[in-house]
Amino acid sequence: MGDQTFDPTARYPKPPFKKQTQPWPGLAGKMEPRPDHGETSYKGSGRLAGRKALITGGDSGMGRAAAIAFAREGADVAINYFPTEEPDAQEVIALVKEAGRVGLAIPGDLKDEAFCKTLVEQAVQGLGGLDIIVSNAARQQSRDSILDVSSEDFDATMKTNIYAPFWIIKAALPHLKAGACIIGTASEQAYDPSPELYDYAQTKAATMNYVKSLAKQLGPKGIRVNAVAPGPIWTPLQVSGGASMEKLEQFGGQTPLGRPGQPGELASIYVQLAAADASYATGQVYGAAGGSGSLDRGTPFRCMARNSTVLKGKEPTQLGIRQQNPYCDMPNFDHRSFCRIVPFQLQPLRLRSRCDFPGSVIR
């Protein structure tokens, strides 16, 4: 094998991007530049052999990347998408079949409860069962003010992002056996919301919480539940109303990597969460945000949510504390956004030995 390393800052396009807009929900095939979903780069190794997956929003974005990767890892795949996304969906189905797997295209509107139930039934019948659910489809529309968000807008976002996963998981659960898994797509918006994404951001916070709640509920049944929390990823969401033109032109430029992520860069995370060798991972939220949202090293904060002290990069003895003081080493999690910040003072603190945030490690 040759050298597989590369510079992540230079691998994919950087801003500024061309001004462009599409009617909602947009098509990946019409974006400039086209997103990379791993069409030519993802190589499978049989990690999901014989598995059967249903992926919502499987025509583009992370759903498409997951569908391609799952098929190349040996899984049969059913994808759901909005009917106007048919051109993108057919490209995905062709790639799934090219990998030698069953590919089902099931278009429909996830805002309709009856359709969500039918979607699961068709996937079960067409694939001969289900053991992976990826609830990925989402609606995102940028609005400068809450005054610009109509009740119809708000309802459509809630139905797509919150009601649909509820309906789909509820319908799928009788078909899921021990060893099955559910994967939600959350977002960095769950803990660092943008002002113009008022409705979308709160649905992603809800996604993070339903994942953790369901993981506790379904763990005893042997069903794992996790989520992926992307940062700025180059998908049709951005060009179909999800970002202002000004933000679109500089999209992803604020990250330490200086660019947006590509859907294909997250494919391996979905595979890992679905694979049997991740059998101890449940209730976790895996971030991939190009470095954005990371905690500054060496800056002490107190995590008010769990009343523990966050001492990133500092040893307790350096701060004059005699009692062992835990600190929180949380990848891709910004305590400054989630917790109320208070300056650290050298006074007795009520210490906790654990911090219940996703992916946290207390040392």
Side-chain angles (χ1 to χ4, degrees):
M1 294 283 291
D3 187 356
Q4 298 295 305
T5 61
F6 56 84
D7 180 356
T9 68
R11 190 182 189 191
Y12 291 109
K14 293 184 174 185
F17 293 107
K18 175 184 176 180
K19 291 183 178 181
Q20 55 194 291
T21 184
Q22 294 185 37
W24 183 87
L27 292 171
K30 292 186 177 181
M31 293 178 67
E32 296 183 41
R34 279 189 63 139
D36 184 344
H37 307 89
E39 287 91 344
T40 61
S41 60
Y42 191 91
K43 309 297 182 185
S45 57
R47 296 186 68 195
L48 303 178
R51 303 289 294 278
K52 303 175 188 303
L54 169 61
I55 303 172
T56 65
D59 59 293
S60 64
M62 281 75 72
R64 178 175 179 143
I68 294 169
F70 283 11
R72 292 179 183 173
E73 295 289 357
D76 294 330
V77 180
I79 63 169
N80 160 258
Y81 51 94
F82 204 68
T84 57
E85 298 170 306
E86 191 68 39
D88 280 351
Q90 288 306 314
E91 291 179 359
V92 177
I93 294 301
L95 288 166
V96 170
K97 292 181 176 179
E98 185 179 292
R101 309 310 307 174
V102 174
L104 292 181
I106 311 176
D109 188 352
L110 295 179
K111 298 192 302 295
D112 181 349
E113 180 178 5
F115 170 72
C116 288
K117 293 177 180 178
T118 299
L119 169 63
V120 172
E121 292 171 2
Q122 290 183 1
V124 169
Q125 292 173 5
L127 300 179
L130 273 181
D131 53 33
I132 303 172
I133 303 293
V134 179
S135 185
N136 168 75
R139 183 180 189 272
Q140 174 184 318
Q141 293 290 288
S142 176
R143 300 283 188 267
D144 289 337
S145 167
I146 187 175
L147 299 176
D148 300 325
V149 181
S150 68
S151 294
E152 291 75 19
D153 267 344
F154 191 81
D155 187 60
T157 300
M158 295 296 150
K159 287 283 180 65
T160 305
N161 300 7
I162 296 299
Y163 276 68
F166 165 66
W167 291 328
I168 290 169
I169 293 169
K170 193 173 180 180
L173 198 54
H175 303 282
L176 302 182
K177 299 178 174 60
C181 67
I182 298 168
I183 305 171
T185 298
S187 169
E188 65 176 358
Q189 292 293 323
Y191 51 85
D192 188 14
S194 299
E196 70 276 8
L197 296 177
Y198 165 80
D199 51 350
Y200 175 82
Q202 60 187 284
T203 67
K204 292 306 172 179
T207 298
M208 191 166 71
N209 278 278
Y210 89 62
V211 161
K212 295 185 74 65
S213 175
L214 267 184
K216 294 174 181 177
Q217 184 182 132
L218 300 181
K221 300 179 185 295
I223 298 172
R224 297 182 298 110
V225 189
N226 294 289
V228 180
I233 307 297
W234 189 243
T235 75
L237 279 181
Q238 312 308 325
V239 300
S240 59
S244 66
M245 198 59 64
E246 180 182 10
K247 188 170 183 178
L248 178 68
E249 288 184 279
Q250 299 302 321
F251 190 65
Q254 81 284 1
T255 68
L257 293 185
R259 62 170 178 85
Q262 295 292 325
E265 294 182 277
L266 280 71
S268 61
I269 302 177
Y270 286 89
V271 169
Q272 173 64 19
L273 292 176
D277 57 10
S279 52
Y280 203 59
T282 191
Q284 303 302 302
V285 181
Y286 284 61
S292 60
S294 59
L295 186 65
D296 292 338
R297 295 196 65 82
T299 305
F301 298 102
R302 181 185 297 176
C303 171
M304 300 305 293
R306 287 292 178 270
N307 200 28
S308 61
T309 302
V310 181
L311 303 173
K312 195 66 168 154
K314 293 281 189 181
E315 290 298 326
T317 54
Q318 291 178 278
L319 295 171
I321 304 172
R322 294 182 180 178
Q323 183 179 4
Q324 179 63 31
N325 195 7
Y327 66 90
C328 188
D329 186 11
M330 296 177 53
N332 301 320
F333 200 94
D334 190 345
H335 274 268
R336 292 168 298 178
S337 301
F338 199 95
C339 308
R340 181 167 66 87
I341 303 169
V342 295
F344 182 80
Q345 297 177 350
L346 295 180
Q347 59 186 19
L349 299 173
R350 187 165 71 89
L351 302 177
R352 296 288 294 247
S353 62
R354 61 192 294 264
C355 181
D356 289 337
F357 282 112
S360 64
V361 179
I362 299 296
R363 298 173 181 170

